[in-house]
Amino acid sequence: MSSWPSSKATRVLAALYRIGWSLKRQSGHMQRSLFALAVFTAVLLVGRTEAQSPQGDATAFHSKVASLYSFEPHKLTSQQIEAKSKVLDDFWSEVKADPKRYLPLLRNELRDDRNSAFFSYDGSKLLLAISEERNDRAVALEAIPRADLQGVQHTDYLRTVHWFARSGFHTTKAALRILDYPDFKAFIVQHALTLGQNYSLIYMLFPMRDSDFVPALIDRLNTETSVVSQKSILLALWYSMTAEAKAAAARFISDASKSEEARNYAKELAQRKASITSALTISTAQQLKEERRKVMYRLSDEALLEFDSLTLKLLAKQ
């Protein structure tokens, strides 16, 4: 005995066949009318079934993402950006109105690195807006570094990655992305604080433990060609106060193929000394590092001052 058709669409067509067979026993106009009605109904059912299927949803959603995000903001005029913003606002509203349906679709699109660079960032922010699941936040963090930061507000990027870092996520990949943009600059309005690439990098990394990011910084220093970015890496390595970081900086200083400006900067960092008063603490180096890490949860000029003060105490223990 043959098995029953497996898909809904196939079952509808099978039912249509049986209807057509039974209508052969009808006669004349009634036969033709009833058969036409059956065909029309079946076609609607098949179309509706396909449109509501998971595969149909995924295909339609991918097409929408590809169409809506087929641009990069930094290549548009102000008028074009305004028009695109309205369209994307509608898209956000649609997704937020039905998260149960759209969450799995959005996750899949963010895992697809073939989508546009801007979607990697904007889509990630949308995912963060509709889900508080840690796994979803991890999906967003993985996608964010694929963004072209020419088309993303630097302050928003800093705040987003910093939020991840102080929430216990590993942000090294997202933080190191700014090394591709020597002119990266963020402005913290509440504190009238401007952060260049160097201290933006510090803020994205130091809410984590240094073991999470020092190896990646050393690897990047070995290949980095931008003097600005080299100096940002050297500063972060100096702040880490680890043996591996010091060894990497020493190798950099002795490498004649590196720029003189960056090598001199590395020398200046290596020669910094702590004041006598900085040594007056009973805290261990590990306790100072932990205290300093928590200070970096706050984005402010006061936090930076505390960070530097604790760094000097740590330096006194070297």
Side-chain angles (χ1 to χ4, degrees):
M1 180 181 293
S2 61
S3 61
W4 186 250
S6 58
S7 72
K8 290 184 178 179
T10 305
R11 290 199 296 271
V12 168
L13 291 174
L16 173 59
Y17 175 80
R18 292 197 303 275
I19 293 171
W21 181 259
S22 66
L23 284 176
K24 286 185 178 181
R25 296 195 295 269
Q26 307 279 345
S27 62
H29 179 71
M30 179 176 290
Q31 177 182 349
R32 291 190 297 273
S33 298
L34 287 174
F35 187 72
L37 176 61
V39 171
F40 178 72
T41 302
V43 170
L44 286 180
L45 287 172
V46 171
R48 184 177 178 186
T49 300
E50 290 178 345
Q52 291 180 340
S53 71
Q55 184 60 41
D57 257 7
T59 301
F61 191 76
H62 175 73
S63 296
K64 177 172 282 191
V65 166
S67 175
L68 290 177
Y69 287 91
S70 60
F71 71 97
E72 291 300 329
H74 65 281
K75 297 179 180 179
L76 302 182
T77 65
S78 298
Q79 292 79 5
Q80 289 173 325
I81 289 176
E82 184 176 355
K84 288 288 187 182
S85 295
K86 292 177 181 178
V87 174
L88 294 183
D89 283 346
D90 291 340
F91 174 67
W92 272 53
S93 297
E94 179 184 355
V95 173
K96 292 170 75 172
D98 194 357
K100 184 177 181 180
R101 175 186 179 189
Y102 287 112
L103 259 175
L105 303 174
L106 185 57
R107 291 183 192 117
N108 287 340
E109 292 303 314
L110 286 170
R111 292 188 180 107
D112 188 347
D113 58 11
R114 295 171 298 178
N115 283 316
S116 79
F118 184 59
F119 173 73
S120 295
Y121 191 75
D122 198 61
S124 294
K125 296 302 292 278
L126 175 56
L127 181 58
L128 294 175
I130 63 174
S131 175
E132 295 183 357
E133 293 293 326
R134 189 170 182 85
N135 287 343
D136 284 332
R137 289 173 172 177
V139 169
L141 179 58
E142 182 64 23
I144 279 173
R146 297 200 298 267
D148 184 342
L149 300 191
Q150 294 178 91
V152 173
Q153 289 185 350
H154 291 180
T155 301
D156 190 71
Y157 189 86
L158 167 63
R159 285 189 176 278
T160 300
V161 178
H162 178 256
W163 176 84
F164 273 112
R166 63 184 176 84
S167 298
F169 287 87
H170 194 299
T171 57
T172 304
K173 185 177 179 180
L176 266 58
R177 178 65 167 134
I178 72 171
L179 295 174
D180 297 325
Y181 302 86
D183 61 347
F184 188 95
K185 186 174 293 185
F187 184 59
I188 311 304
V189 177
Q190 298 90 326
H191 299 276
L193 176 64
T194 299
L195 298 171
Q197 184 202 68
N198 52 0
Y199 278 95
S200 293
L201 182 66
I202 298 298
Y203 257 120
M204 293 181 196
L205 293 176
F206 277 81
M208 297 188 291
R209 290 175 174 82
D210 51 53
S211 58
D212 291 332
F213 59 83
V214 166
L217 281 176
I218 294 172
D219 288 343
R220 182 62 183 258
L221 183 61
N222 292 333
T223 60
E224 184 57 60
T225 57
S226 163
V227 173
V228 172
S229 298
Q230 286 173 347
K231 292 168 74 173
S232 293
I233 296 169
L234 289 164
L235 180 63
L237 288 174
W238 179 80
Y239 270 122
S240 74
M241 299 283 171
T242 68
E244 313 95 279
K246 291 178 182 178
R251 289 194 299 271
F252 186 88
I253 291 170
S254 62
D255 187 347
S257 69
K258 304 298 184 183
S259 78
E260 185 177 359
E261 179 183 348
R263 291 168 65 201
N264 286 338
Y265 181 69
K267 291 176 185 177
E268 184 272 318
L269 290 172
Q271 292 168 359
R272 288 184 180 180
K273 303 294 182 183
S275 63
I276 296 177
T277 56
S278 297
L280 302 177
T281 177
I282 61 173
S283 298
T284 65
Q286 193 56 43
Q287 288 171 332
L288 288 170
K289 280 194 172 185
E290 185 62 17
E291 186 178 351
R292 192 180 64 163
R293 187 175 70 82
K294 292 179 179 178
V295 163
M296 292 306 279
Y297 286 9
R298 296 160 21 224
L299 267 173
S300 68
D301 50 343
E302 293 87 357
L304 276 181
L305 289 173
E306 289 182 50
F307 180 74
D308 276 335
S309 175
L310 290 166
T311 298
L312 290 176
K313 292 179 180 180
L314 188 59
L315 182 60
K317 292 184 174 294
Q318 298 294 298

